[in-house]
């Protein structure tokens, strides 16, 4: 069964304190791995797509990387406005039309 | 341009009532998805439309849930005889891509359904 597990569930950082969020996945053939950001009361907002192991994508203070079993979202020198829930999701060859989401990591950045 | 629009934003229903949730996808988007998100959890797949065809409804939790997209644009998710366990945020997402091309989803802000 295709599965996505994110850790930690919650992460509290001081402003400027860099860290990483983990997404472990088990799929029968990865078609794409996605990172989304979700603010309270809003829908998920697309951040990155990664297709193959070794691929990296960057946007401002965020950098996403992918291996054959997991993905990391690195946050460099975070600011309070980076506080949100970060969701990892996969599309698999056997998943048909589904994008399967993890439960998310809630990030709190304190000034 | 305009994003995915969902209405109503909030819905309170008494147990046993029927509800209808509406989704206006981004114009021209072929694919439309419905997801259910419980508090503190990630979105869970309910159903998928490619244009007007419902190609996957495997995630619908019971036969009380029904979705349609008759003209390939606006979609409605209907829940009959609501139960307390139906309380959740219902998210709609659209994509310009067909199902066989992996790509990101564009989400609306959801409808928060509370069943009392």
């Amino acid at each position: 069964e295709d599965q996505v597990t994110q850790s930690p569930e919650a992460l509290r950082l001081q402003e400027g304190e860099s860290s990483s969020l983990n997404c472990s996945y088990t799929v029968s053939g990865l078609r794409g791995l996605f990172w989304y950001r979700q603010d309270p009361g809003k829908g998920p907002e697309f951040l990155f797509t990664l297709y193959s192991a070794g691929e990296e994508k960057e946007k401002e203070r965020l950098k996403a990387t992918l291996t054959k079993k997991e993905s990391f979202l690195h946050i460099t020198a975070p600011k309070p406005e980076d506080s949100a829930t970060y969701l990892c999701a996969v599309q698999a060859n056997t998943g048909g039309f589904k994008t399967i989401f993890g439960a998310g990591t809630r990030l709190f950045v304190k000034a | 341009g305009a994003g995915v629009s969902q209405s109503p934003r909030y819905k309170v229903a008494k147990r046993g009532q029927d509800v209808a949730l509406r989704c206006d996808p981004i114009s021209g988007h072929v694919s439309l998805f419905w997801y259910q998100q419980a508090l503190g959890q990630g979105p869970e797949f309910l159903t998928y439309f490619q244009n007007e065809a419902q190609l996957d409804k495997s995630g619908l939790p019971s036969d009380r849930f029904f979705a349609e997209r008759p003209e390939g644009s606006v979609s409605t998710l209907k829940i009959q005889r609501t139960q307390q366990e139906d309380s959740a945020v219902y998210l709609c997402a659209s994509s310009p891509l067909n199902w066989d091309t992996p790509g990101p989803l564009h989400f609306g802000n959801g409808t928060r359904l509370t069943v009392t």
Side-chain angles (χ1 to χ4, degrees), chain A residues 31 34 36 38 41-44 46 49 51 87 91 97-99 101-103, chain B residues 9 33 35 37 42 48 55-56 58 99-105 107-109:
Chain A
R31 296 169 64 201
F34 307 87
Y36 290 83
Q38 187 172 27
K42 299 290 182 69
F46 169 72
T49 306
Y51 293 104
L87 296 165
Q91 288 181 356
F97 315 105
K98 302 175 190 176
T99 297
F101 284 82
Chain B
R9 285 283 284 125
F33 301 79
Y35 280 81
Q37 187 173 27
Y48 166 71
L55 299 187
D56 189 341
S58 63
W99 69 272
D100 59 350
T101 305
L105 304 179
F107 282 89
N109 286 329

Side-chain angles (χ1 to χ4, degrees), chain B residues 49-72:
Chain B
F49 289 88
Q50 182 172 301
N51 296 308
E52 69 280 1
Q54 188 175 19
L55 299 187
D56 189 341
K57 55 181 181 179
S58 63
L60 296 177
S62 76
D63 58 8
R64 296 186 295 105
F65 286 70
F66 172 76
E68 60 183 3
R69 193 186 185 197
E71 298 179 358

Side-chain angles (χ1 to χ4, degrees), chain A:
Chain A
E1 182 182 343
D2 299 330
Q3 197 167 7
V4 177
T5 304
Q6 291 189 247
S7 62
E9 291 185 7
L11 181 61
R12 298 180 185 276
L13 300 174
Q14 291 288 328
E15 183 173 5
E17 179 186 2
S18 301
S19 188
S20 295
L21 282 54
N22 177 264
C23 171
S24 298
Y25 63 91
T26 305
V27 296
S28 302
L30 180 70
R31 296 169 64 201
L33 184 141
F34 307 87
W35 282 97
Y36 290 83
R37 167 185 172 136
Q38 187 172 27
D39 292 297
K42 299 290 182 69
E45 178 186 349
F46 169 72
L47 293 173
F48 301 110
T49 306
L50 300 167
Y51 293 104
S52 58
E55 191 174 357
E56 299 182 351
K57 294 276 180 72
E58 271 188 87
K59 179 181 178 180
E60 297 180 356
R61 296 177 293 282
L62 300 177
K63 178 180 177 180
T65 61
L66 180 65
T67 72
K68 288 187 178 179
K69 293 185 177 180
E70 56 191 350
S71 176
F72 292 93
L73 185 65
H74 307 278
I75 303 176
T76 302
K79 299 181 178 182
E81 53 262 43
D82 295 323
S83 297
T85 295
Y86 291 86
L87 296 165
C88 174
V90 298
Q91 288 181 356
N93 286 331
T94 57
F97 315 105
K98 302 175 190 176
T99 297
I100 300 168
F101 284 82
T105 294
R106 296 175 65 190
L107 176 66
F108 303 90
V109 182
K110 186 176 179 181

